[in-house]
Amino acid sequence: MANSPPATTIVGRDDYFGNHADFFSVEGAHRVLTVSSCSIVEVSPSTVPSAMDTPPWESLRDACYFGDVSEFLFPSPLIPNISGLHDYACPSFPPDRNVLDCVMDLTRRIHADFTFDPAATTIATPLEKVMRNRRGVCQDFAQFQIGCLRSMGVAARYASGYLETVPAPGTPKLVGTDASHAWLQVFVPNLGWIDVDPTNNLLPSDRHIFVACGRDFDDVSPIRGVIVGAGRHKLVVAVDVIPLETG
Amino acid sequence: MNATSAPLASRSFLDGYLPVPAAYDEMVASDGSIRDSWRNFIGSFERSGKTELSARRKSVNRIIKENGVTFNIHGDTKDVRRSWELDLVPFLIPASEWKVIEAGLIQRTRLLNAVLADVYGPQRLLQEACLPRALINANPNFLRPCFGIQPPNNLFILLHAVDLARERRVFLKTLEGLQQVDVIFRRVDDAYCDPLELRADSAFGVPGLLESTRAGNVAVANAVGSGAVQTPAITAFLPSLSQRLLGEELILPSVATWWCGQKRELAYVRENLKNLVIKSAFTWVGAEPVFGGRLSNKERRRLLGEIENNPFDYVAQEEIALSTIPVLEPGRLDPRPMVLRAIVCAAPNGYTVLPGGLTRVSRAKDRLVVSIKGGGTSKDTWVLADGPVSQSSLLRRADGIVRLERAAAEVPSRVAENFFWLGRYAERLEDTVRLLRCLMARLVTETGAAAEPDLESVIRLLAHLDLFSPKFRERSSISGVESEVYQLIFRKMRLGSVVDIAARLGHLVFAMRDRLSSDTWRILRRQPR
């Protein structure tokens, strides 16, 4: 990570959820603050388990509630237990269906029912409004699906990271067109956390670059801070994901 | 021997004093006799007589008003300050009883501190299932960013606002520059303490406070996150936690509590809802307990449905009768349910309990919830001693010479700013009132306003000073002046009106109370509101 102007203090630590977090402060006057983060990430295609191998969804309730993963089962600041979540989720959870099939069906429905619309929401839009208007961005869809799963007794957590976009055939890849992305992870006993992306209706593989996880966006906002001073400010975010040859 | 065998000169205050059946009365034993510890007091109370007591009551109220002892009704957005109420009859606690309470409170504080040190540290209690993991994970007051922060001496529980944090340290801005702060005694709720890591919408907190505590550069009392044990849910586990952490039995038993986040407990609550009190497990602001026995069948079914949906959000407790204590009503005593809030503080050699506490009494005999907010009153709390006690006082002796000093480093910038505005508002208030007086004297003369030669100039002056609307700058007739005067005095929403400035002044006076002499305070408090 690099800052401009340089930070007076930088301290790194791992947070409660095991994510790496850096604390920094810039104490001089400045007009522009740039935070650049550059990482070399190795990705490998994920091994998606066969849905047949996952247990019926009803069996997860107690395992999640009494286990360590209950951290991701209870309501969290941005994902309160609002009444419509359970009703929306129910059709995907018929008795005895294996949990991965339920999750994929729910993902498909959210992808079909909700419209991707960056103008519809901000990071402060409550879940209830997202549910009512059925519009939003990846963060909203991920949080909505997490809420649905939790209401059925399935532990789910918010995953924050980046997505590599592939340009149309024949066009060169532009700089800064990749995006911060959000999806979710579902806990399945014996298999662990399985990535699910409702925005793209798929189970992520090697184009999703995982950075951090938490109960909801509030736990893993890529950056948060306080500016002391007057005047307006504007935030610009740009992401580049550039494939390197494995050497 | 009891009091009934030795009647007091006059029993008038006690006539008709009927304790609630089955409730423990602090003054009267179940056989109707007055308890030993109360006998002296009641004797002198009776001797004082009604006239004297009514005079004393008035004097108490006057002192409370003069000193500005008020409380802000919590959750009220308007600035409503109600006068504190104090009943003349204190709560008397015999020394022997206090010893037990004291030991029990110290034990409880040690216990809760040990629980906090564990859940924000190694979490052994969760691994060993002494405390359900779900109880911590479902608890919104368990602040994840506080995990791993170890306060000095591992003291989480010790018992305002600071300006800014930098370089992982907290500083106070004073007239002589930044002074580092070592200890913060906070009155801000946990979640609002640091907008950087906790609630971002908090305007009260110090950005970077958590990072400063993490670095060990500042101590906060109580540690941020200690609200995690301020939940009735944990009460259910205190007996076993005490065994596990302290190897001791609980000295003061807790109210029997069932946290609905467990299967067996939930089943019990389902069966016995009629006899239980249901409370919110984790929120304590604005959540009134529900008495299962007072609900209709339909209401009970609905409540049960809500509990089944989010069982972890509810606790049930057995319904207990609070003890009652006499309250002075005109000419007689009347029993009321009471609770005592005691204060435990950390001292170098362990916790210590301040003798006494805040005794609160319910508004009505049959009201089961005691709160000042709900209209109850308060009492002094007297811990009786077995023998004479040595006098000690922390007040500075008055016979020394007070040396005047100029120490700008002790004046936070905010206080200096408040002083500046105090002066500005007082000046502005006086100017406005004087000008209004000039105007009004000319408006209401015997010869009629029209005959006053300089009336026009005064109106124009007010307009040019922006006290009156600009349309009066050029106008020569007096039409509309009356309503303008009225608005300039009484309209709250008008910037610079007399009531507006007075309210601003009142705010400042309240905020600066500790910086003003008591005479200044009293005079400024008398401003119109």
Side-chain angles (χ1 to χ4, degrees), chain A residues 156-201:
Chain A
R157 67 188 189 187
Y158 185 94
S160 165
Y162 301 109
L163 184 64
E164 183 199 355
T165 51
V166 180
T171 49
K173 190 174 162 129
L174 300 172
V175 174
T177 52
D178 297 297
S180 334
H181 191 49
W183 60 99
L184 61 135
Q185 299 181 324
V186 181
F187 181 75
V188 180
N190 303 324
L191 292 172
W193 295 96
I194 297 173
D195 293 86
V196 180
D197 181 353
T199 311
N200 297 301
N201 186 24

Side-chain angles (χ1 to χ4, degrees), chain A residues 66-151:
Chain A
F66 294 104
D68 291 3
V69 295
S70 72
E71 180 65 83
F72 303 102
L73 182 65
F74 295 111
S76 56
L78 297 181
I79 313 180
N81 188 2
I82 48 179
S83 55
L85 295 171
H86 185 79
D87 296 342
Y88 184 90
C90 270
S92 298
F93 289 77
D96 254 358
R97 190 185 218 177
N98 71 65
V99 64
L100 195 54
D101 273 338
C102 298
V103 171
M104 297 210 302
D105 185 64
L106 180 65
T107 312
R108 182 190 56 73
R109 284 175 54 222
I110 293 175
H111 184 258
D113 290 349
F114 285 65
T115 311
F116 186 87
D117 178 2
T121 56
T122 70
I123 56 161
T125 305
L127 191 60
E128 188 154 28
K129 194 174 163 197
V130 172
M131 183 169 70
R132 202 171 50 236
N133 297 345
R134 304 213 167 173
R135 303 181 92 80
V137 296
C138 55
Q139 176 195 327
D140 304 308
F141 304 153
Q143 293 192 148
F144 177 73
Q145 186 166 7
I146 292 169
C148 289
L149 291 167
R150 289 178 184 169
S151 77

Side-chain angles (χ1 to χ4, degrees), chain B residues 95-242:
Chain B
S96 56
E97 218 173 282
W98 181 252
K99 276 205 187 88
V100 180
I101 294 176
E102 200 173 24
L105 291 176
I106 289 175
Q107 181 197 49
R108 204 162 264 246
T109 312
R110 280 166 54 222
L111 177 58
L112 292 177
N113 191 74
V115 173
L116 282 171
D118 184 74
V119 298
Y120 281 111
Q123 296 200 336
R124 269 185 221 110
L125 293 174
L126 306 187
Q127 284 147 28
E128 295 169 14
C130 291
L131 202 57
R133 200 169 273 278
L135 188 137
I136 292 302
N137 286 344
N139 187 342
N141 307 313
F142 174 63
L143 300 179
R144 278 74 177 171
C146 298
F147 181 80
I149 300 180
Q150 204 180 353
N153 303 321
N154 229 353
L155 277 181
F156 283 79
I157 306 175
L158 294 136
L159 239 347
H160 170 174
V162 182
D163 282 290
L164 68 155
R166 50 167 65 186
E167 288 164 21
R168 310 175 84 204
R169 285 167 206 280
V170 177
F171 290 90
L172 184 67
K173 221 162 132 189
T174 75
L175 291 187
E176 275 189 0
L178 297 179
Q179 304 274 331
Q180 190 179 338
V181 174
D182 300 317
V183 180
I184 297 173
F185 175 64
R186 73 181 164 105
R187 299 194 47 197
V188 174
D189 282 348
D190 295 63
Y192 289 88
C193 281
D194 182 354
L196 182 65
E197 292 193 50
L198 302 170
R199 285 187 66 143
D201 58 347
S202 165
F204 308 122
V206 179
L209 178 63
L210 280 195
E211 189 57 35
S212 305
T213 52
R214 203 172 277 133
N217 288 331
V218 68
V220 181
N222 293 333
V224 181
S226 47
V229 294
Q230 206 178 349
T231 151
I234 212 141
T235 315
F237 302 93
L238 287 184
S240 59
L241 288 172
S242 179

Side-chain angles (χ1 to χ4, degrees), chain B residues 17 19 27 46 71 88 114 118 150 183 193 203 208 226 230 258-259 272 284 336 344 387 439-440 457 482 494 496:
Chain B
Y17 185 83
M27 178 178 73
E46 295 281 18
F71 65 99
L88 275 195
D118 184 74
Q150 204 180 353
V183 180
C193 281
S226 47
Q230 206 178 349
W258 294 264
W259 179 51
N272 298 280
W284 58 89
R336 293 291 162 74
V344 184
L439 175 68
M440 281 151 86
S457 318
E482 232 171 278
R494 178 168 173 153

